Amino acid sequence: MATVARSAERAEPRGTERQDLWWLEPLSIVAALGIFGVYTFLVSTANSAYFADPYLSPMYSPCLSSTCPPSERLFPFTIDFMSLSPAYFIVGLPLAFRITCYYYRRSVYRAFFSSPAACAVPDLRRRYTGETRFPFVLQNVHRYVLYTALVIIAVLWIDAIKAFSFPVTSAVSGSAGDHAARHFGIGLGTVIMVGNTLLLSFYTLGCHALRHIVGGSVDSFHRASIRFRLWSAVTQLNLHHPRWAWLSMFSVGLTDAYIRMVAAGWIADPRILF
Amino acid sequence: MTSEYHFRVWRGDVSGGAFQEYRVPEEEGLVVLDVIHRIQQTQQPDLACRWNCKAGKCGSCSAEINGHPSLMCMTRMDEFKEGETVTVQPLQTFPVIKDLVTDVSFNYEVAKTIPAFKPKPREADGTRRMYQEDVDRVQEFRKCIECFLCQDVCHVIRDHEDNKKSFAGPRFFARLAELEMHPLDTNDRVALIKQKHGLGFCNITMCCSEVCPEHIHITDNAIIPLKERVVSEFYDPLAWVKRRLGL
């Protein structure tokens, strides 16, 4: 029978007595984030088929490419830095928000750093300093990337509202029509875009940093009733933060894929025009 | 033929030890602590284990069951599959004294380093008032039974012994959060939380919340709010300007 040291100076490395499938969660996270990462890189590099009037892919919103249709430009400038796709810059901000998100930190440290891979499973790193040193100390910028994420959410809501306004000719020929004459309507793409923006809003507005900013920083809620209400609302969303994190990530990919397929003419967008 | 539970229990002391196997006749309604007591009564009278209330409220019978930090009194035998071997070992983060009993005095030493509650002066009518919404937020942390399962599962000290001198651990972040968020407390512990209690070592793996038998949201409601307070104090230039302007 093996002898196992239990003193303060324990034998290293130790194993785990866990008999369940503890490795399944980190493996699933690696697979999910890996697939999403590769997909995001590919569609960001493509710099095409991101707009199917009136649908704009969330990965290219706000539309900052010089190839953007004038109606989709919210800002008076474009990003065409060294011929790189503007999606690299647009996706960068939500990516920074997710990388520094407290929930994703849990998942990433577990899955990619095995620090630890699962609870009560040995940490693979011999020396551990957590988030006290570079580069992980940079995780403390989370509230700043939250501010940019809130701006992007506002832009995505504008896109979602625009997705109710269809070009006149599009119902007949499928081509972009005269922007002066448009019909109110609802297409499958509209539903997908609204759903995606809702999920992203739930995720962003349930952020732990936002919870602190709106009210968590005060010690007496009684003396700050509005902040208490805001804190309570954010807390309700925060309770399901992991769920919103995953659902919104997948919905961004699915929304982009749908718009891409419509733009490429692979599928027709079912819609009702009023 | 009577069915039996198959147990592997760690036996030993500070100099070393090993798992020993035991078979105990099955009975309905048992928890792991009952089976450990059966082993004591019928096979190994010198098997050491710490226990008290047998109701999940004293926090004494913490151990690792099939590798999961758990209370032995709250782990029912019908949670295991028929014929499954149940492995019971002492908490891994603390030095063993004997068998399933560990020396958790590290926690008491950390507790001494936390500045105590320092209340505001009384109001004109001689009272100190606290309102329900403020009570609700800090009440959660008062549920802690000090079983130290969260301390045990935290990899910062579980796998890195060196960090014990600079990291307080989740149980004490819950205590610090309770004090920091208390509307009547006047002590400011934010700098201490960063520098002495090593909050930055926590990488939010949330294992402390997963093992808490009282279901305290240690990470979401204590550690992350404290991290955000540390960010405001040390990493946020806007918050710094706001403080300087007295806003």
Side-chain angles (χ1 to χ4, degrees):
Chain A
M1 208 175 290
T3 298
V4 186
R6 297 273 167 189
S7 68
E9 294 159 12
R10 290 170 301 219
E12 296 286 352
R14 292 176 305 160
T16 179
E17 293 296 331
R18 283 186 64 166
Q19 295 160 16
D20 55 337
L21 303 177
W22 59 264
W23 44 267
L24 197 58
E25 186 197 307
L27 199 66
S28 308
I29 292 168
V30 168
L33 294 181
I35 291 167
F36 184 76
V38 170
Y39 178 81
T40 304
F41 176 74
L42 291 177
V43 300
S44 299
T45 307
N47 199 14
S48 62
Y50 55 81
F51 179 66
D53 199 3
Y55 309 136
L56 175 65
S57 164
M59 292 193 182
Y60 282 80
S61 181
C63 207
L64 296 172
S65 168
S66 55
T67 58
C68 281
S71 63
E72 298 306 311
R73 290 185 185 167
L74 286 180
F75 299 102
F77 59 88
T78 58
I79 295 179
D80 289 302
F81 181 69
M82 292 175 68
S83 305
L84 288 173
S85 165
Y88 290 140
F89 305 100
I90 297 163
V91 169
L93 290 173
L95 190 66
F97 180 58
R98 285 184 189 254
I99 286 174
T100 59
C101 163
Y102 285 105
Y103 172 70
Y104 277 105
R105 285 190 213 174
R106 166 200 181 275
S107 302
V108 169
Y109 287 129
R110 283 192 185 196
F112 291 90
F113 294 90
S114 287
S115 183
C119 300
V121 170
D123 186 339
L124 288 187
R125 300 205 289 184
R126 290 194 70 77
R127 199 157 179 282
Y128 174 85
T129 54
E131 297 180 343
T132 59
R133 295 188 185 172
F134 183 82
F136 298 114
V137 72
L138 294 177
Q139 301 279 26
N140 289 309
V141 303
H142 186 51
R143 69 175 59 166
Y144 278 93
V145 283
L146 163 70
Y147 301 143
T148 63
L150 289 170
V151 172
I152 289 172
I153 291 295
V155 169
L156 290 176
W157 273 112
I158 293 171
D159 293 341
I161 291 165
K162 280 183 172 178
F164 286 92
S165 173
F166 292 85
V168 171
T169 54
S170 63
V172 180
S173 64
S175 61
D178 176 4
H179 288 289
R182 299 181 75 88
H183 274 302
F184 174 75
I186 298 174
L188 179 57
T190 315
V191 175
I192 290 172
M193 284 183 71
V194 169
N196 175 52
T197 312
L198 260 179
L199 290 172
L200 283 167
S201 302
F202 290 161
Y203 169 59
T204 309
L205 297 176
C207 165
H208 290 88
L210 185 65
R211 189 173 177 234
H212 171 81
I213 292 163
V214 299
S217 57
V218 300
D219 289 341
S220 177
F221 283 143
H222 182 72
R223 293 174 206 280
S225 59
I226 293 172
R227 295 190 72 180
F228 173 58
R229 283 180 204 164
L230 287 170
W231 178 85
S232 301
V234 173
T235 298
Q236 286 307 309
L237 289 172
N238 182 265
L239 287 171
H240 307 287
H241 201 47
R243 179 186 302 165
W244 306 131
W246 287 113
L247 288 176
S248 63
M249 191 185 86
F250 290 123
S251 76
V252 167
L254 290 173
T255 306
D256 176 83
Y258 180 80
I259 293 170
R260 199 159 285 281
M261 287 190 287
V262 174
W266 294 355
I267 57 171
D269 175 56
R271 56 185 64 164
I272 304 166
L273 300 181
F274 300 99
Chain B
M1 195 179 91
T2 314
S3 299
E4 292 179 321
Y5 297 125
H6 184 196
F7 264 59
R8 285 172 74 231
V9 181
W10 194 87
R11 304 291 317 275
D13 56 28
V14 70
S15 58
F19 283 104
Q20 290 187 15
E21 299 193 4
Y22 301 96
R23 288 183 184 275
V24 176
E26 272 191 34
E27 278 179 57
E28 202 178 335
L30 297 192
V31 294
V32 168
L33 183 60
D34 292 323
V35 179
I36 293 294
H37 283 161
R38 294 282 192 283
I39 295 169
Q40 269 185 336
Q41 289 156 5
T42 60
Q43 302 174 48
Q44 297 281 323
D46 62 342
L47 170 62
C49 83
R50 193 182 272 138
W51 71 285
N52 193 357
C53 75
K54 237 189 113 184
K57 289 295 167 196
C58 73
S60 301
C61 64
S62 301
E64 297 195 8
I65 302 167
N66 284 354
H68 292 276
S70 319
L71 294 179
M72 288 193 284
C73 71
M74 297 304 285
T75 309
R76 296 173 61 93
M77 287 308 300
D78 59 13
E79 290 173 23
F80 303 103
K81 288 183 220 131
E82 184 81 30
E84 181 179 349
T85 300
V86 179
T87 301
V88 186
Q89 61 185 338
L91 301 179
Q92 300 284 286
T93 300
F94 308 112
V96 77
I97 296 173
K98 186 175 187 304
D99 303 336
L100 301 179
V101 178
T102 51
D103 175 6
V104 293
S105 54
F106 161 75
N107 300 293
Y108 306 128
E109 295 307 315
V110 175
K112 290 178 196 167
T113 66
I114 295 178
F117 177 70
K118 186 177 165 193
K120 286 177 182 172
R122 291 178 191 278
E123 292 177 27
D125 61 2
T127 63
R128 290 190 183 95
R129 286 187 181 80
M130 202 171 155
Y131 296 89
Q132 192 58 48
E133 55 269 40
D134 296 324
V135 172
D136 288 342
R137 180 160 60 155
V138 295
Q139 191 70 20
E140 179 186 14
F141 308 124
R142 303 287 296 177
K143 292 195 299 178
C144 177
I145 58 172
E146 295 211 315
C147 59
F148 301 127
L149 290 177
C150 57
Q151 298 285 89
D152 177 55
V153 81
C154 180
H155 73 111
V156 178
I157 47 178
R158 181 186 176 91
D159 297 315
H160 307 279
E161 187 74 24
D162 283 355
N163 290 338
K164 277 188 179 168
K165 56 183 181 290
S166 45
F167 183 72
R171 188 279 167 266
F172 297 100
F173 292 132
R175 172 69 180 149
L176 285 158
E178 179 196 335
L179 291 167
E180 272 303 291
M181 294 171 187
H182 201 296
L184 298 179
D185 180 67
T186 55
N187 261 336
D188 181 1
R189 302 170 187 79
V190 175
L192 194 75
I193 289 167
K194 176 179 183 281
Q195 288 148 7
K196 184 170 178 57
H197 295 128
L199 185 67
F201 279 88
C202 171
N203 66 345
I204 323 287
T205 49
M206 301 192 180
C207 292
C208 49
S209 302
E210 281 184 28
V211 301
C212 180
E214 286 294 319
H215 308 292
I216 301 170
H217 295 94
I218 304 171
T219 318
D220 290 312
N221 291 346
I223 293 178
I224 295 174
L226 287 181
K227 274 192 174 254
E228 285 298 316
R229 287 179 185 224
V230 168
V231 170
S232 295
E233 191 87 21
F234 293 96
Y235 300 104
D236 185 348
L238 279 182
W240 181 82
V241 170
K242 204 174 144 191
R243 274 197 308 277
R244 298 291 288 182
L245 296 174
L247 297 173

